Amino acid sequence: MREFIVEADGGSRGNPGPAGYGAVVVDAATGETLAEAAEYIGVATNNVAEYRGLIAGLTAARALDPGAPVHVRMDSKLVVEQMSGRWKIKHPDMKPLAAQAAQILPPSQVTYEWIPRAQNKHADRLANEAMDAGTRGEQWTPSATRADAIHPLAQEAPLQGRGERRDQPSPAATRTTPGGEAAKAVSDVRAARNLAADKPSVGWGAPPDLGPPTTFVLLRHGETPLTPQKRFSGSGGTDPALSETGRDQAERAARSLATHGTVQAIVASPLTRTRQTAAAVAARLGLEVVIDEGLRETDFGAWEGMTFGEVRERYPEDLNAWLASPDAEPTGGGESFTATAHRISATRDKLTAAYAGRTVLLVTHVTPIKTLVRLAIGAPAESLFRMELSAASLSTVAYYADGNASLRVFNDTSHLR
């Protein structure tokens, strides 16, 4: 009975950005390349492109022999685990693609194996060729060197990164002849695949592919008249607007974000200073601003509009209690840092679900940003007093599908200089 190996890959230069996929069908016994498929698919994410590559590979294998067992090898941990049934499919863009892939061949006929990127070079090359063709306004066409090639398991240049153009030798330099070491290598892969499935690679050398993270770009609003005086200015005070300096800071932040071009949505606190800052960015990026009450600043109660020194003079016991415990409330029924953290955690969870896999600009305040940062790195509540966060500064936190978070940038003010 014939048996096929399908290797598939997809990439996105921007994630989302210009994307393409590649897939190859190999005779498992001889190592002969039987079919190649690749296509530029427009703007899409890495994961969408990877699923499209899988669908193309399975479709090509079915066309060759609908009854042949197929062993799929991909360097996308997400796709392999989801198609193997070990991970749930939560993202709405993935569900129809996974369902389409599962219907091409009977599930009992297809097995899946995760492989390192360095072992998926053929499919990766095809995906890059498709993306290159797309940027030229052309359709991908098969390489003239494919017809009698043996699958090149380890012949091409090493990969440098998902969706990037790799330096590769010319097709003529990567051709092999039938039989010999290439066919033996394919047989070795077949013999080892069950062991690989039972003992997946772990550790720093083989990070799981969890798909693109949900990324929050955290922009503190620009200055108000109260900012240089370091007065408490929360959600229970006068709701000041941006000063002239603050408006200039908002414009500078907007120009910087427009240059990077990665923000896909904007969510802002309902207070005037954050709405004005968000509006400056939205005008540059051509995006709408969504208002979320959960991003408002802490309510500082009777301390609103006062300096730290004034609060210490008037309410020394309350201030000492507030500095000593995150459960303490500001004088007059303000909001404790514990209550703020609960609100921010709920807002974070809601927004990461709503904008899964996307980059979102959150225009908010000192306490919400510091809280998101401390929760991301697992820092205690008292760390809020040990962070400096400047007006109109940018910070970035990425949230992954496995529940982990990564602080990537904190208090960047380079755009203001």
Side-chain angles (χ1 to χ4, degrees), residues 37-337:
E39 183 183 4
Y40 174 72
I41 61 174
V43 175
T45 64
N46 281 333
N47 293 145
V48 167
E50 288 163 346
Y51 263 110
R52 290 286 299 274
L54 171 64
I55 291 169
L58 292 174
T59 301
R62 183 182 62 184
L64 290 168
D65 186 343
V70 174
H71 184 58
V72 176
R73 292 158 42 92
M74 297 182 68
D75 61 64
S76 171
K77 186 74 169 177
L78 180 80
V79 174
V80 168
E81 294 299 317
Q82 288 180 343
M83 292 304 298
S84 299
R86 291 185 289 269
W87 288 4
K88 291 183 179 180
I89 304 172
K90 298 179 181 180
H91 198 285
D93 291 346
M94 302 299 111
K95 290 181 179 179
L97 294 172
Q100 182 180 352
Q103 293 172 0
I104 297 172
L105 291 169
S108 59
Q109 197 173 318
V110 184
T111 56
Y112 291 88
E113 176 191 352
W114 177 85
I115 57 174
R117 290 179 181 176
Q119 295 181 22
N120 202 25
K121 296 170 186 174
H122 193 161
D124 173 81
R125 172 171 59 80
L126 297 177
N128 269 304
E129 288 178 0
M131 286 185 278
D132 288 345
T135 59
R136 297 192 300 268
E138 303 172 358
Q139 293 294 323
W140 175 84
T141 54
S143 168
T145 64
R146 190 212 60 80
D148 62 350
I150 296 299
H151 182 54
L153 285 175
Q155 299 294 319
E156 297 179 2
L159 305 183
Q160 298 300 319
R162 174 79 61 199
E164 301 173 0
R165 181 61 185 163
R166 283 86 170 184
D167 293 328
Q168 299 167 339
S170 64
T174 62
R175 291 188 63 188
T176 59
T177 55
E181 294 183 0
K184 180 181 182 299
V186 174
S187 298
D188 290 343
V189 167
R190 295 175 60 203
R193 71 188 186 210
N194 288 333
L195 178 61
D198 292 338
K199 297 182 179 179
S201 296
V202 296
W204 292 105
D209 184 351
L210 300 175
T214 304
T215 302
F216 288 172
V217 179
L218 308 171
L219 172 60
R220 186 191 169 193
H221 60 80
E223 284 189 7
T224 74
L226 301 182
T227 306
Q229 302 174 29
K230 297 188 180 298
R231 295 184 179 274
F232 283 95
S233 183
S235 58
T238 59
D239 192 18
L242 295 178
S243 63
E244 182 177 350
T245 297
R247 291 191 294 273
D248 178 67
Q249 290 171 334
E251 288 295 336
R252 289 172 181 266
R255 287 197 295 269
S256 176
L257 291 165
T259 299
H260 288 88
T262 55
V263 170
Q264 299 165 274
I266 303 175
V267 184
S269 154
L271 300 183
T272 299
R273 53 197 182 271
T274 44
R275 285 175 178 266
Q276 291 176 326
T277 304
V281 180
R284 287 272 181 178
L285 301 184
L287 297 172
E288 297 293 327
V289 178
V290 176
I291 301 300
D292 195 305
E293 290 285 339
L295 294 177
R296 70 183 186 277
E297 180 58 287
T298 299
D299 183 345
F300 293 111
W303 303 350
E304 294 280 359
M306 294 184 181
T307 66
F308 190 87
E310 289 169 343
V311 172
R312 181 174 290 283
E313 181 179 344
R314 297 185 192 184
Y315 309 104
E317 293 183 1
D318 290 350
L319 181 61
N320 288 336
W322 182 73
L323 293 172
S325 172
D327 297 327
E329 298 176 351
T331 307
E335 187 179 22
S336 71
F337 282 151

